[in-house]
Amino acid sequence: MNENRISPQIPLVNVQRQYELIRAELLAETDRLFASGSYIQGPYAKKFEEAASKLFGFKHVAACGNGTAAVSVLLRAHKIGPGDEVIIPNMTFIATAESVIDVGATPIYCDVKPSDYTIDPEQITKKLTSKTKAIIPVHLFGHACDMKAIAEIARANSLVIIEDCAQAHLTRYQNTLVGTQYGGGAFSFYPGKNLGAFGDAGMIGSNSAEIDDFCRRFIDHGRSAKYQHEFIGFNHRMDAIQALVLLKKIEFLPKWTERRRTVANLYKKTLEAKGFKCVNALPDSESSWHLFTVEVGNRDAAVLAMQSQGIGVGVHYPIPLHQQPAVKKTSPVRDSDFPISNRACTRLMSLPLCGEIRDHEVDQILDVFLKVAQATR
Ligand SMILES: *Cc1c(COP(=O)(O)O)cnc(C)c1O
């Protein structure tokens, strides 16, 4: 990485513009928060949990420290641990695998579908063993997984479904918000996510009082009262300052999501007309468009060309999980089991997209892209 690289003119996600929207109010309230002396969880976290459970469609929401912890704590709540196998896609951020390993279970990697790069239900059935206890569908790039097929496999084999919704804020599948129908949804509010804090933060959504109760206590040292601990938990609490930021931002999320959908559809229409292959999210779903990805024949050259013209494109992901050195050491797998993700990792690139992107920026991005990128078919 070149340390002197100037920040792009059009970044992948423009979080600074989000700040401008809430700046005056946030600064005034931050002063009140700092003066209050209540810096961890507290009233802002409670208010955020209420707002989030309404908007994301959960009976219960537990604010927590980050999205990785959210997945891991949900696995614990469902008593997944040593000796258990958990099926996950191999095209995801490493955190999905880490959370499985964190609870002492074994991640079993599974290839993805070529249409939307989410986990392939047909491949899941090939990975089932007597030790399989759970599936973690990842709604990658904001696109809903094929939950109907996954739920059928889970039902037939008595498996828990925990949804990794870190990229899928307000994604809908068959008219339901993702995360709300099965064992719970784990969300990340890492700054670059569709709803981002000013640091690390996450949440666990569920419709079970029992799961919610476990998660809340686990996150806060397993405590039931100030110095009373029913079991050994951990510290995965959300800071009050992050809760305040999220509380101010959450009201913009529906509008930002709409804007992402509009721009993504425009990208798609323009690029497909020029022969590019873009993602086809399931017809009965509404993506949150965390990322807009397109297949490019000369991917690496096109990425460099766009970056040199000040456009902050990204690559998600350059290396599929099964090829990561960290994973190779713990879960040796056959490379030939992953033809779709192997191919995707050499061809996909992500164009800038966020709720505050402007029309002239979209035009400029498309202009440069069409000059430097080659279609794959
Ligand atoms: C961001 C992300 C996570 C982890 O979230 P953190 O808040 O960074 O811990 C987990 N899964 C996926 C798919 C993600 O994109």
Coordinates of all heavy atoms in Angstrom, one line a residue, residues 288-340:
S288 N -29.9 -4.4 -0.2 CA -29.5 -3.2 0.4 C -28.4 -2.6 -0.3 O -27.9 -1.5 0.0 CB -29.1 -3.4 1.9 OG -27.9 -4.2 1.9
W289 N -27.9 -3.3 -1.3 CA -26.8 -2.8 -2.2 C -25.6 -2.2 -1.3 O -25.2 -1.1 -1.5 CB -27.3 -1.8 -3.2 CG -28.1 -2.4 -4.2 CD1 -29.5 -2.3 -4.3 CD2 -27.7 -3.2 -5.3 NE1 -29.9 -3.0 -5.4 CE2 -28.8 -3.6 -6.1 CE3 -26.4 -3.6 -5.8 CZ2 -28.8 -4.4 -7.2 CZ3 -26.4 -4.4 -6.9 CH2 -27.5 -4.8 -7.6
H290 N -25.1 -3.1 -0.4 CA -23.9 -2.6 0.3 C -22.8 -2.4 -0.6 O -22.0 -1.4 -0.5 CB -23.5 -3.7 1.3 CG -22.3 -3.4 2.0 ND1 -22.1 -2.3 2.8 CD2 -21.1 -4.1 2.1 CE1 -20.8 -2.3 3.2 NE2 -20.2 -3.3 2.8
L291 N -22.7 -3.2 -1.7 CA -21.7 -3.0 -2.7 C -22.3 -3.2 -4.1 O -23.1 -4.1 -4.2 CB -20.5 -4.0 -2.5 CG -19.6 -3.7 -1.3 CD1 -18.6 -4.9 -1.1 CD2 -18.7 -2.4 -1.5
F292 N -21.8 -2.5 -5.0 CA -22.2 -2.8 -6.4 C -21.0 -3.4 -7.1 O -19.9 -2.8 -7.2 CB -22.6 -1.5 -7.2 CG -23.0 -1.9 -8.6 CD1 -24.3 -2.2 -8.9 CD2 -22.1 -1.9 -9.6 CE1 -24.7 -2.6 -10.2 CE2 -22.4 -2.3 -10.9 CZ -23.7 -2.6 -11.2
T293 N -21.2 -4.7 -7.4 CA -20.0 -5.4 -8.0 C -20.3 -5.8 -9.5 O -21.5 -6.0 -9.8 CB -19.7 -6.7 -7.2 OG1 -20.9 -7.4 -7.1 CG2 -19.2 -6.3 -5.9
V294 N -19.3 -5.8 -10.3 CA -19.5 -6.1 -11.7 C -18.3 -7.0 -12.1 O -17.2 -6.8 -11.6 CB -19.6 -4.8 -12.6 CG1 -18.5 -3.8 -12.3 CG2 -19.7 -5.1 -14.1
E295 N -18.5 -7.9 -13.0 CA -17.4 -8.8 -13.6 C -16.7 -8.0 -14.6 O -17.3 -7.5 -15.6 CB -18.0 -10.0 -14.2 CG -18.2 -11.1 -13.2 CD -18.5 -12.5 -13.8 OE1 -17.9 -12.8 -14.9 OE2 -19.3 -13.2 -13.3
V296 N -15.3 -8.0 -14.5 CA -14.5 -7.3 -15.5 C -13.4 -8.2 -16.0 O -12.7 -8.9 -15.2 CB -13.9 -6.1 -14.8 CG1 -13.0 -5.3 -15.8 CG2 -15.0 -5.1 -14.3
G297 N -13.2 -8.3 -17.3 CA -12.2 -9.2 -17.9 C -10.8 -8.8 -17.5 O -10.0 -9.6 -17.2
N298 N -10.5 -7.5 -17.5 CA -9.2 -7.0 -17.2 C -9.2 -6.3 -15.8 O -8.8 -5.2 -15.6 CB -8.7 -6.0 -18.2 CG -9.7 -4.8 -18.4 OD1 -10.8 -4.9 -18.0 ND2 -9.2 -3.6 -18.8
R299 N -9.7 -7.0 -14.8 CA -10.0 -6.5 -13.5 C -8.9 -5.7 -12.9 O -9.1 -4.5 -12.6 CB -10.5 -7.6 -12.5 CG -11.3 -7.1 -11.3 CD -10.5 -6.8 -10.1 NE -9.6 -7.8 -9.7 CZ -9.8 -8.8 -8.9 NH1 -11.0 -9.0 -8.4 NH2 -8.8 -9.6 -8.5
D300 N -7.7 -6.3 -12.7 CA -6.6 -5.6 -12.0 C -6.2 -4.3 -12.7 O -6.0 -3.3 -12.1 CB -5.5 -6.5 -11.8 CG -5.8 -7.6 -10.8 OD1 -6.9 -7.5 -10.2 OD2 -5.1 -8.6 -10.7
A301 N -6.1 -4.3 -14.0 CA -5.8 -3.1 -14.8 C -6.9 -2.1 -14.7 O -6.6 -0.9 -14.5 CB -5.5 -3.5 -16.3
A302 N -8.1 -2.5 -14.7 CA -9.2 -1.5 -14.6 C -9.3 -0.9 -13.3 O -9.5 0.3 -13.1 CB -10.6 -2.2 -14.9
V303 N -9.0 -1.6 -12.2 CA -9.0 -1.1 -10.8 C -7.9 0.0 -10.7 O -8.2 1.1 -10.3 CB -8.7 -2.2 -9.8 CG1 -8.4 -1.6 -8.4 CG2 -10.0 -3.1 -9.7
L304 N -6.7 -0.3 -11.2 CA -5.6 0.7 -11.2 C -5.9 1.9 -12.0 O -5.7 3.0 -11.5 CB -4.3 0.0 -11.7 CG -3.6 -0.9 -10.7 CD1 -2.4 -1.5 -11.4 CD2 -3.2 -0.2 -9.4
A305 N -6.5 1.7 -13.1 CA -6.8 2.8 -14.0 C -7.9 3.8 -13.3 O -7.7 5.0 -13.4 CB -7.4 2.3 -15.3
M306 N -8.9 3.2 -12.7 CA -9.9 4.0 -12.1 C -9.3 4.7 -10.8 O -9.6 5.9 -10.6 CB -11.1 3.1 -11.7 CG -11.8 2.7 -13.0 SD -13.5 2.1 -12.7 CE -14.4 3.6 -12.4
Q307 N -8.5 4.0 -10.1 CA -7.9 4.6 -8.9 C -7.0 5.7 -9.2 O -7.0 6.8 -8.6 CB -7.2 3.5 -8.0 CG -8.1 2.6 -7.3 CD -7.4 1.5 -6.6 OE1 -6.3 1.1 -6.9 NE2 -8.1 0.8 -5.6
S308 N -6.3 5.6 -10.4 CA -5.4 6.7 -10.8 C -6.2 7.9 -11.2 O -5.7 9.0 -11.3 CB -4.5 6.2 -11.9 OG -5.2 6.1 -13.1
Q309 N -7.5 7.7 -11.5 CA -8.3 8.9 -11.9 C -9.2 9.3 -10.7 O -10.2 10.0 -10.9 CB -9.2 8.5 -13.1 CG -8.3 8.2 -14.3 CD -9.0 8.4 -15.6 OE1 -9.7 9.4 -15.8 NE2 -8.8 7.5 -16.5
G310 N -8.8 8.9 -9.5 CA -9.4 9.4 -8.3 C -10.8 8.8 -8.0 O -11.5 9.3 -7.2
I311 N -11.0 7.6 -8.5 CA -12.2 6.9 -8.2 C -12.0 5.7 -7.3 O -11.2 4.8 -7.7 CB -13.0 6.5 -9.5 CG1 -13.3 7.7 -10.3 CG2 -14.2 5.7 -9.2 CD1 -13.9 7.5 -11.7
G312 N -12.5 5.7 -6.2 CA -12.2 4.7 -5.1 C -12.9 3.4 -5.3 O -13.7 3.0 -4.5
V313 N -12.5 2.7 -6.3 CA -13.1 1.3 -6.5 C -12.5 0.3 -5.6 O -11.4 0.6 -5.0 CB -13.0 0.9 -8.0 CG1 -13.8 1.7 -8.9 CG2 -11.5 0.8 -8.4
G314 N -13.2 -0.8 -5.4 CA -12.7 -1.8 -4.4 C -12.7 -3.2 -5.0 O -13.3 -3.4 -6.1
V315 N -12.1 -4.1 -4.4 CA -12.1 -5.5 -4.8 C -12.6 -6.4 -3.6 O -12.0 -6.4 -2.6 CB -10.7 -6.0 -5.2 CG1 -10.8 -7.5 -5.5 CG2 -10.3 -5.3 -6.5
H316 N -13.8 -6.9 -3.8 CA -14.4 -7.8 -2.7 C -14.8 -9.1 -3.3 O -15.7 -9.2 -4.0 CB -15.7 -7.1 -2.2 CG -15.4 -5.7 -1.6 ND1 -15.4 -4.6 -2.4 CD2 -15.0 -5.3 -0.4 CE1 -15.2 -3.5 -1.7 NE2 -14.9 -4.0 -0.5
Y317 N -14.0 -10.1 -3.0 CA -12.8 -10.1 -2.2 C -11.6 -10.7 -3.1 O -11.9 -11.5 -3.9 CB -13.0 -11.0 -1.0 CG -14.0 -10.4 -0.1 CD1 -15.3 -10.8 -0.2 CD2 -13.6 -9.4 0.9 CE1 -16.3 -10.2 0.7 CE2 -14.6 -8.9 1.7 CZ -15.9 -9.2 1.6 OH -16.8 -8.7 2.4
P318 N -10.4 -10.2 -2.9 CA -9.4 -10.7 -3.8 C -9.0 -12.1 -3.6 O -8.5 -12.8 -4.5 CB -8.2 -9.8 -3.5 CG -8.5 -9.2 -2.1 CD -10.0 -9.2 -2.0
I319 N -9.2 -12.6 -2.3 CA -8.9 -14.0 -2.0 C -10.0 -14.7 -1.4 O -10.5 -14.3 -0.3 CB -7.7 -14.1 -1.0 CG1 -6.5 -13.3 -1.6 CG2 -7.2 -15.5 -0.7 CD1 -5.3 -13.1 -0.6
P320 N -10.5 -15.8 -1.9 CA -11.6 -16.6 -1.3 C -11.1 -17.2 0.0 O -9.9 -17.5 0.2 CB -12.0 -17.6 -2.3 CG -10.9 -17.8 -3.2 CD -10.1 -16.5 -3.2
L321 N -12.0 -17.4 1.0 CA -11.6 -17.8 2.3 C -10.7 -19.1 2.3 O -9.7 -19.1 3.0 CB -12.8 -18.0 3.3 CG -13.5 -16.8 3.8 CD1 -14.4 -17.2 4.9 CD2 -12.4 -15.8 4.4
H322 N -11.1 -20.0 1.5 CA -10.3 -21.3 1.5 C -8.9 -21.1 1.0 O -8.1 -22.0 1.2 CB -11.1 -22.4 0.7 CG -11.0 -22.2 -0.8 ND1 -11.9 -21.3 -1.4 CD2 -10.2 -22.6 -1.7 CE1 -11.6 -21.3 -2.7 NE2 -10.6 -22.1 -2.9
Q323 N -8.6 -20.0 0.4 CA -7.2 -19.8 -0.1 C -6.4 -18.9 0.9 O -5.2 -18.6 0.7 CB -7.2 -19.1 -1.4 CG -7.5 -20.0 -2.6 CD -7.5 -19.3 -3.9 OE1 -6.8 -18.3 -4.0 NE2 -8.1 -19.8 -4.9
Q324 N -7.1 -18.4 1.9 CA -6.4 -17.6 2.9 C -5.4 -18.4 3.7 O -5.8 -19.5 4.2 CB -7.4 -16.9 3.9 CG -8.3 -15.9 3.3 CD -7.6 -14.6 3.1 OE1 -6.4 -14.4 3.4 NE2 -8.3 -13.6 2.5
P325 N -4.2 -17.9 3.9 CA -3.2 -18.7 4.7 C -3.7 -19.1 6.0 O -3.6 -20.3 6.5 CB -2.0 -17.8 4.8 CG -2.1 -16.8 3.6 CD -3.6 -16.7 3.3
A326 N -4.5 -18.2 6.7 CA -5.0 -18.5 8.0 C -6.0 -19.7 8.0 O -6.0 -20.5 8.9 CB -5.7 -17.3 8.6
V327 N -6.7 -19.8 6.9 CA -7.7 -20.8 6.8 C -7.1 -22.1 6.4 O -7.4 -23.2 6.8 CB -8.9 -20.4 5.9 CG1 -9.8 -21.6 5.5 CG2 -9.6 -19.3 6.5
K328 N -6.1 -22.0 5.4 CA -5.4 -23.2 4.9 C -4.8 -24.0 6.0 O -4.8 -25.3 6.0 CB -4.3 -22.8 3.9 CG -4.8 -22.6 2.5 CD -3.6 -22.4 1.6 CE -4.0 -22.4 0.1 NZ -2.9 -21.8 -0.7
K329 N -4.3 -23.3 7.1 CA -3.7 -24.0 8.2 C -4.7 -24.8 9.0 O -4.3 -25.9 9.5 CB -3.0 -23.0 9.1 CG -1.6 -22.5 8.6 CD -1.0 -21.6 9.6 CE -0.1 -20.6 8.9 NZ -0.1 -19.3 9.4
T330 N -5.9 -24.3 9.1 CA -6.8 -25.0 10.0 C -7.8 -25.9 9.3 O -8.3 -26.8 9.9 CB -7.6 -23.9 10.8 OG1 -8.1 -22.9 9.9 CG2 -6.8 -23.2 11.8
S331 N -8.2 -25.5 8.1 CA -9.2 -26.3 7.3 C -8.8 -26.6 5.9 O -9.2 -25.9 5.0 CB -10.5 -25.5 7.2 OG -11.0 -25.2 8.5
P332 N -7.9 -27.6 5.7 CA -7.5 -27.8 4.4 C -8.6 -28.3 3.5 O -9.4 -29.2 3.9 CB -6.4 -29.0 4.5 CG -6.4 -29.4 6.0 CD -7.4 -28.5 6.7
V333 N -8.8 -27.7 2.4 CA -9.9 -28.0 1.5 C -9.4 -28.1 0.1 O -8.3 -27.7 -0.3 CB -11.0 -26.9 1.5 CG1 -11.8 -26.9 2.8 CG2 -10.5 -25.6 1.2
R334 N -10.2 -28.8 -0.8 CA -9.8 -28.9 -2.2 C -10.2 -27.7 -3.0 O -11.4 -27.3 -3.0 CB -10.5 -30.1 -2.8 CG -9.8 -31.4 -2.6 CD -10.5 -32.5 -3.5 NE -11.9 -32.3 -3.4 CZ -12.8 -33.2 -3.2 NH1 -12.4 -34.5 -3.1 NH2 -14.1 -33.0 -3.2
D335 N -9.3 -27.1 -3.6 CA -9.5 -25.9 -4.4 C -10.6 -26.1 -5.5 O -11.4 -25.2 -5.8 CB -8.2 -25.4 -5.1 CG -8.2 -24.0 -5.5 OD1 -8.6 -23.2 -4.6 OD2 -8.0 -23.7 -6.7
S336 N -10.7 -27.3 -6.0 CA -11.6 -27.6 -7.1 C -13.1 -27.6 -6.6 O -14.0 -27.7 -7.4 CB -11.3 -29.0 -7.7 OG -11.3 -30.0 -6.7
D337 N -13.3 -27.6 -5.3 CA -14.6 -27.5 -4.7 C -15.2 -26.1 -4.8 O -16.4 -25.9 -4.5 CB -14.6 -27.9 -3.2 CG -14.7 -29.4 -3.0 OD1 -14.8 -30.1 -4.0 OD2 -14.6 -29.8 -1.9
F338 N -14.4 -25.1 -5.3 CA -14.9 -23.7 -5.2 C -14.7 -23.0 -6.6 O -14.1 -21.9 -6.6 CB -14.1 -23.0 -4.1 CG -14.2 -23.6 -2.8 CD1 -13.2 -24.5 -2.4 CD2 -15.3 -23.4 -2.0 CE1 -13.3 -25.1 -1.1 CE2 -15.4 -24.0 -0.7 CZ -14.4 -24.9 -0.3
P339 N -15.2 -23.6 -7.6 CA -15.0 -22.9 -9.0 C -15.6 -21.5 -9.1 O -15.0 -20.6 -9.7 CB -15.7 -23.9 -9.9 CG -16.6 -24.7 -9.1 CD -16.0 -24.8 -7.8
I340 N -16.7 -21.3 -8.4 CA -17.4 -20.0 -8.6 C -16.7 -18.9 -7.9 O -16.4 -17.8 -8.4 CB -18.9 -20.1 -8.1 CG1 -19.6 -21.2 -8.8 CG2 -19.6 -18.7 -8.4 CD1 -19.6 -21.2 -10.3

